[in-house]
Structure formats: structure tokens, C-alpha cells
Amino acid sequence: RLSGQQQEINNLIQRKIAVDEENARLKNEFSNLNEKFKDKSQELKDTEECAQKKEEQNRLVIKNLEEENKGLNTCCADLLNDLEKLRKQEVQWKTEKSGSDARIKNLETDLTNAREQMKELSSKCSNLSSQLAVKQEELSQKECDMNRTKKELQELQSLYRQNITHTAQQAELIQQLQALNTD
């Protein structure tokens, strides 16, 4: 019986040694795992901090991008307004140009007509100049004729006056002769 108990004690001692060894191994494993856990926890903490920083940076970047986007949207709206104004201006200019082109065409037609009229008037003027030269020649000839006629008239008037004087003298002589004859 003693031997059986001794055997049991030996078994228990064997089991205790095995459990102690298992325990020591588990403690060691636990210690290693705990160390790994600490490392992983630090790594996780570092990663979270890094992620938080990144998130903060991303928030700032997003905020800046949103501000920039807002500015770009405003700029884009201004540019669209300018474009619309320019399109309206272009339509207005095209309308004005169309009107100007029509006016230019009309002015060119008027100019062509005026040139034709100038040619006709120049031709008439040339004809009238020729006629005027002829008339001036005729007038010059008539002035010469008139001057000659004036001279002739003056001579005739002079002769007429002389004739009247002679006639008066003759009448006086006739009266004297009649008076003498009567005496």
C-alpha cells in the first residue's frame, strides 16, 4: 500500500513537474505574447496617431481644396458671365457690321452713280466750254462790228450836224436872197 501511495506521490510529483514546466512555458509564452502585445499596442497607437495626423492633414487639404474650389467656381461663373457678355457683344457687332456693310455697299453704289454723273457733267461742261468759246468769238466779232457801227454812226452824226449847219446857212442865204430880191 505504501508503495502504491509512493507511486501516486511520484506520479503527482511527475505531474506537478510537468504542470510547472507547462506553467513556466505558458508564463514564458504569455510574457512573449505580452511583449508582442505591448509592441503591437505601441505600433497600433503610432499607427492611430499617424492616421489621425493624416486625417487632419487630409481635412486641411480638403478644406483648402474646397476653398480653392469655391474660388474656382466663382471665377468660372465670372468667366461664363464674361463669355455671355462677349457673345451678346459679338451678336451686336455682327448686326452692326451687317448694317455697316449694307451702308458701305449703298455708299459704293452712290459713289459709282456720282462718278457716272460727274462724267456726264464733265462731258456737258466740255461741250458748254466749246459753245462758250464759240459764243465769245461771236461776241468779240459783234463787239468789233458794233465798234465799227458806232464809228460810222459818229461819222454820220458829224455829217448830219454839218449838213444841218449847211442847211441852216442855206436857209439863211435864201432868206437874205429873198430879202434882197424883195428890195
Side-chain angles (χ1 to χ4, degrees):
R1 187 167 177 195
L2 238 166
S3 157
Q5 284 180 344
Q6 187 66 41
Q7 185 64 39
E8 203 175 315
I9 287 169
N10 283 343
N11 285 341
L12 284 173
I13 287 170
Q14 285 289 320
R15 270 179 58 202
K16 182 185 183 300
I17 290 169
V19 166
D20 284 347
E21 283 176 0
E22 181 68 14
N23 209 4
R25 189 186 63 77
L26 285 172
K27 271 184 183 175
N28 195 20
E29 196 175 322
F30 176 76
S31 179
N32 288 338
L33 284 172
N34 205 18
E35 198 60 41
K36 278 183 185 176
F37 176 75
K38 280 180 186 172
D39 291 346
K40 290 291 177 186
S41 290
Q42 188 60 42
E43 200 177 309
L44 179 64
K45 192 178 175 185
D46 292 346
T47 304
E48 281 175 349
E49 281 177 10
C50 189
Q52 210 170 9
K53 282 178 186 173
K54 284 274 185 196
E55 199 176 322
E56 190 61 36
Q57 283 176 349
N58 286 344
R59 254 190 249 119
L60 280 173
V61 167
I62 288 168
K63 189 179 177 185
N64 290 337
L65 286 173
E66 282 173 350
E67 288 295 321
E68 195 177 333
N69 192 30
K70 203 182 285 183
L72 288 172
N73 283 337
T74 305
C75 187
C76 194
D78 291 345
L79 287 172
L80 285 171
N81 285 337
D82 290 348
L83 181 64
E84 189 59 32
K85 282 178 191 171
L86 287 172
R87 281 186 178 149
K88 284 179 182 173
Q89 213 170 24
E90 182 189 18
V91 169
Q92 187 181 343
W93 285 344
K94 279 183 180 174
T95 306
E96 286 174 7
K97 187 184 179 301
S98 178
S100 295
D101 288 347
R103 278 201 299 276
I104 288 168
K105 199 171 181 184
N106 290 338
L107 287 171
E108 283 173 349
T109 305
D110 291 348
L111 183 63
T112 304
N113 292 340
R115 282 184 179 147
E116 287 299 319
Q117 287 178 354
M118 268 186 65
K119 280 181 189 173
E120 289 174 19
L121 289 171
S122 182
S123 177
K124 283 181 184 177
C125 191
S126 183
N127 289 338
L128 288 172
S129 291
S130 299
Q131 289 176 17
L132 180 64
V134 170
K135 294 290 180 189
Q136 281 178 335
E137 187 63 38
E138 288 175 6
L139 182 63
S140 181
Q141 189 62 45
K142 285 185 180 179
E143 278 180 358
C144 286
D145 292 349
M146 193 174 79
N147 285 335
R148 198 169 51 252
T149 306
K150 273 184 184 177
K151 275 187 180 175
E152 288 174 5
L153 180 62
Q154 284 173 355
E155 288 172 8
L156 284 172
Q157 283 175 341
S158 179
L159 286 171
Y160 178 69
R161 278 194 292 274
Q162 286 174 5
N163 197 5
I164 288 174
T165 305
H166 287 344
T167 304
Q169 287 173 354
Q170 284 176 355
E172 198 179 313
L173 283 172
I174 290 170
Q175 281 181 351
Q176 285 175 0
L177 286 171
Q178 284 177 346
L180 285 175
N181 196 17
T182 306
D183 290 339

